[in-house]
Amino acid sequence: MKQLSEKELFHLVNTISIEYFGKAYTDEVIFNSRLRTTGGRYLPSKRLIELNPKYYFEADEDEFIGIIKHELCHYHLHIEGKGYKHGDPEFKALLRLTGSPRHCKPLSSNMNRQKHQYKCVNCNYVYKRVRRVDLKRYRCGKCRGKLVRLS
């Protein structure tokens, strides 16, 4: 896929906003290549949506549209003066209503970075990490069991 211009990106976001929310998107939307672990973010102070261009190129179209819908949920609730943060009931309800994802899927390029694997002795949950974990200091976040290194 080719890189979208700012005008084309705005048109895409505005079209999705009208289709799923019944309201136009009037503020700015940009690609931010510095985003590493998230698909996008909404900055309420600037009324700006920033999207990760890696998701546009690497993920499928439905995933990218889902990220836009998620950020539009933040935007429209903020504009209306309602609870727009992840924990707010209004936000969760609007996510369900519009079919927006709560979290985006990890990129395949980032999955290769996870070199270290740890397993809980009690519940057998497997943790995949980029950095090493100090096994003397950290326990399982689910059951407080002891962790062992797999790779």
Side-chain angles (χ1 to χ4, degrees), residues 6 11 14 16 26 33 39 41 46 62 75 82 123-124:
E6 284 189 24
H11 180 69
N14 191 34
I16 292 170
T26 57
S33 57
R41 67 180 176 183
K46 298 178 183 179
D62 291 335
Y75 171 77
K82 297 179 180 174
C123 67
N124 294 325

Side-chain angles (χ1 to χ4, degrees), residues 78-130:
H78 175 249
I79 297 301
E80 295 170 6
K82 297 179 180 174
Y84 62 92
K85 296 180 181 174
H86 285 115
D88 294 330
E90 294 99 342
F91 179 74
K92 291 178 182 177
L94 189 58
L95 283 179
R96 280 191 296 277
L97 187 69
T98 58
S100 304
R102 183 94 191 266
H103 305 284
C104 57
K105 295 177 185 148
L107 287 170
S108 57
S109 61
N110 285 348
M111 292 299 285
N112 299 336
R113 292 181 62 219
Q114 299 170 347
K115 303 179 212 168
H116 307 284
Q117 288 188 345
Y118 302 92
K119 184 176 180 181
C120 175
V121 176
N122 290 352
C123 67
N124 294 325
Y125 186 79
V126 176
Y127 292 91
K128 297 177 182 176
R129 296 291 180 264
V130 174

